[in-house]
Amino acid sequence: MSENVKDITDANFETEVMKSNVPVLVDFWAEWCPPCRAMGPIVESMATKFGSEAKIVKLNVDDNPSVTQRFGIKGIPTMIVFKGGKEAERLVGATNEGAISRLIEEQLTVAKS
């Protein structure tokens, strides 16, 4: 885990995600999931690219069943962008850097308009 991507838990989800004043990309993942591990470098890249404009976090579904169930996570990896305490966009399955970047950029554009 890099200094740019924070691990979050059921305990700090509300504070880190729902009460954030910037859009938050949450990567729902698990250690045993090869596609999740493959997405790791892309998630890191997003954290570097968006810096302070957006927050990038990871939530291990095995260790945090409450948030996982709350948002109906059935398959991983799942990426959800939260904005203003609400789910704004969701991507399920391994994807590319461009798709994730567009998700975040859309929410930043909405925020500026």
Side-chain angles (χ1 to χ4, degrees):
M1 193 73 46
S2 82
E3 67 224 23
N4 298 327
V5 179
K6 186 173 187 171
D7 266 319
I8 60 168
T9 64
D10 284 346
N12 66 1
F13 183 84
E14 284 296 318
T15 304
E16 293 291 336
V17 177
M18 303 307 271
K19 294 180 179 174
S20 176
N21 57 358
V22 296
V24 183
L25 174 75
V26 180
D27 175 13
F28 291 87
W29 73 291
E31 193 66 47
W32 51 264
C33 167
C36 298
R37 289 197 312 270
M39 293 299 298
I42 294 173
V43 172
E44 295 280 342
S45 171
M46 293 295 98
T48 302
K49 177 177 180 176
F50 290 102
S52 61
E53 287 184 281
K55 191 185 291 188
I56 313 297
V57 300
K58 294 175 78 75
L59 185 125
N60 185 313
V61 298
D62 291 335
D63 298 338
N64 301 284
S66 177
V67 170
T68 301
Q69 289 174 355
R70 178 176 167 189
F71 291 99
I73 305 301
K74 304 272 190 263
I76 53 173
T78 294
M79 309 276 174
I80 300 179
V81 178
F82 291 88
K83 185 167 169 220
K86 295 184 173 66
E87 179 178 333
E89 295 281 340
R90 180 183 292 224
L91 263 178
V92 179
T95 188
N96 60 42
E97 193 166 330
I100 298 170
S101 187
R102 276 190 298 281
L103 276 185
I104 298 167
E105 285 167 357
E106 283 173 13
Q107 296 312 310
L108 292 173
T109 302
V110 170
K112 291 175 184 169
S113 53

